[in-house]
């Protein structure tokens, strides 16, 4: 019996957790009040005042209570878990020690993969970074070696491969699509051995990863990027790395410390800012994040910066009140600078596997996502979720995090990634 049939009977974690939440979130836009008049230009206080004026039941509740306090907030660095359906437990040890909440981690030094010894052929960037994807590579490429060892490739092999792909977090839908593509080749006896099978699969995965629209051109002035995600996925760290990436491209970056909930977030971002050499608009603990975002765009216009990267507090995608706060930041940015935010990037932690896909679906219902950053690909065998998210969401993976160092954020490249996991 094909794995999917067995798998379907058991019900996937995705099926278990996805549908009720999706309905809950899908209902929320109708609960929204109509837009209020534009915020007065140039005054952050006015934006904060707007917060009071446009109280939603959910928003006001979020503001009366400490907005994040009762959350089952995970410790920084650990995989976020939706209470309803925890992500499948990892077989491997946790990737890193959780950071002390009040002691922002110093950005780690660069941990570049070593160049090949002289004389050896140069492999692509992703080839050199293949070591960082070792667990995913072992899971997918290694399993293919095992299931094809000493056997001819036939329908049974495809059944086993289907199981490998689903358990490697490529998602049921995408795994089935890939298997269907291989079926004809197997029938025509075009795939003789593991290498041919891997090559054909890598091609199929590259196609899935390439079927997404490109990330928006970053040519607005200033170009505003809002960064969102659940707790501890690596938002602040990724913003620091992004600032470094863009500054090295010769663009001047301003960071907005819009995570005004976590005491150390402002400090953590300031450390990144000093390290990278960019500008920052800080956010006092407890301040209205929309006001910080508003001020940051104003400062970027006045000071002539090219890019604004807005950090936001971590929030569980299942908490409607906190998700409403994101809508407000989005709305206020649009009032301050028409067209802003030009990008809304969701940061997801690859170690959470299918839960990351679920987060992407639910955040996308609240603020229109333009792309994703997948962090912690270096510490997980669940890297296949990259393919599931691309295949199902049709959203570009803009960058991937492959470590904690400043340079460990890479622009995603479909072909290189597909090669690196085999
Ligand atoms: N191994 C690895 N660790 C990462 C990566 N990206 C971030 N981290 C680590 O993940 C931990 C959490 O990162 P933060 O940037 O503080 O996460 P956050 O999403 O801003 O957290 P909250 O503000 O609490 O929601 C830190 O220890 C980071 O160093 C990555 O790509 N690989």
């Amino acid at each position: 019996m094909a794995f999917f049939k067995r798998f379907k009977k058991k019900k996937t974690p995705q099926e278990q957790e996805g549908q009720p939440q999706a309905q809950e979130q899908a209902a929320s836009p109708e609960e929204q009040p109509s837009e209020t008049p534009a915020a007065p230009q140039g005054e952050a206080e006015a934006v904060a005042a707007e917060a009071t004026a446009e109280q939603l039941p959910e928003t006001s509740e979020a503001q009366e209570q400490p907005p994040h306090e009762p959350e089952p907030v995970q410790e920084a660095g650990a995989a976020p878990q939706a209470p309803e359906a925890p992500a499948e437990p990892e077989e491997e040890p946790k990737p890193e020690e959780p950071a002390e909440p009040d002691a922002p981690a110093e950005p780690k030094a660069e941990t570049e993969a070593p160049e090949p010894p002289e004389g050896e052929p140069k492999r692509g960037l992703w080839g050199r970074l293949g070591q960082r994807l070792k667990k995913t590579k072992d899971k997918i490429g290694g399993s293919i070696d095992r299931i094809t060892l000493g056997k001819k490739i036939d329908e049974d092999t495809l059944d086993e491969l289907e199981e490998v792909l689903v358990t490697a977090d490529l998602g049921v839908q995408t795994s089935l699509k890939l298997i269907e593509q291989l079926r004809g080749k197997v029938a025509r006896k075009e795939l003789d051995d593991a290498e041919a099978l891997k090559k054909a699969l890598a091609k199929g995965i590259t196609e899935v990863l390439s079927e997404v629209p490109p990330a928006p051109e970053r040519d607005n002035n200033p170009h505003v990027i809002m960064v969102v995600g659940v707790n501890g996925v690596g938002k602040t760290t990724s913003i620091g790395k992004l600032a470094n990436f863009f500054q090295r491209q010769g663009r001047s970056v301003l960071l907005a410390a819009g995570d005004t909930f976590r005491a150390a977030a402002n400090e953590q971002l300031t450390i990144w800012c000093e390290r990278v050499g960019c500008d920052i608009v800080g956010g006092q603990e407890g301040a209205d994040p929309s006001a910080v975002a508003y001020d940051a765009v104003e400062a970027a216009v006045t000071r002539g910066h090219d890019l604004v990267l807005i950090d936001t507090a971590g929030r569980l995608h299942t908490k409607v009140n906190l998700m409403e706060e994101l809508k407000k930041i989005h709305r206020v940015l649009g009032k301050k600078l028409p067209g802003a935010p030009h990008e809304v990037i969701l940061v997801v932690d690859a170690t959470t596997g299918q839960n990351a896909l679920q987060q992407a679906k639910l955040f996308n219902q609240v603020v229109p996502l333009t792309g994703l950053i997948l962090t912690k690909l270096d510490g997980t065998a669940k890297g296949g979720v990259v393919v599931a998210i691309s295949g199902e969401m049709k959203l570009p993976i803009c960058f991937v995090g492959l470590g904690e160092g400043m340079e460990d954020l890479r622009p995603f490249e479909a072909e290189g990634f597909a090669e690196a996991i085999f």
Side-chain angles (χ1 to χ4, degrees), residues 73-74 76-77 95-99 105 108 229-238 241 259 262 265 268 311-315 347 374-379 400-404 408:
V73 174
Q74 62 165 77
E96 72 274 314
E97 279 293 310
K108 297 254 165 51
V230 306
N231 311 82
V233 288
K235 290 178 298 301
T236 308
T237 307
S238 296
K241 293 171 178 176
D259 180 354
R262 187 162 63 90
Q268 189 182 347
D311 195 10
T312 58
R315 64 202 71 225
V347 180
L374 254 105
T375 58
K376 310 185 194 181
L377 266 176
D378 50 310
V400 290
L402 294 157
E404 294 181 84
D408 292 334

Side-chain angles (χ1 to χ4, degrees), residues 13-28 82-86 317-318 320 355 358-359 362 365:
Q14 183 189 347
E15 285 166 329
Q16 286 166 354
E17 73 177 7
Q19 289 156 1
Q21 291 170 5
Q23 282 160 7
E24 186 193 351
Q25 291 293 327
S28 67
E84 296 82 350
H317 48 299
T318 48
V320 176
N355 212 2
Q358 205 50 37
Q359 288 164 22
L362 294 178
Q365 288 173 10

Side-chain angles (χ1 to χ4, degrees), residues 138 213 322 336 345 403-404 407:
D138 287 349
L322 300 178
K336 176 66 191 154
I345 295 185
E404 294 181 84
E407 309 286 333

Side-chain angles (χ1 to χ4, degrees), residues 302-349:
T302 313
R303 300 175 199 168
H305 290 300
D306 303 319
L307 261 158
V308 183
L309 299 173
I310 300 173
D311 195 10
T312 58
R315 64 202 71 225
L316 273 183
H317 48 299
T318 48
K319 294 288 174 194
V320 176
N321 301 347
L322 300 178
M323 297 300 270
E324 289 300 332
E325 190 181 73
L326 284 187
K327 277 190 186 168
K328 185 182 159 199
I329 300 173
H330 195 279
R331 195 165 58 235
V332 166
L333 283 170
K335 284 176 182 168
K336 176 66 191 154
L337 183 70
H342 307 100
E343 287 182 67
V344 181
I345 295 185
L346 176 71
V347 180
V348 287
D349 174 343

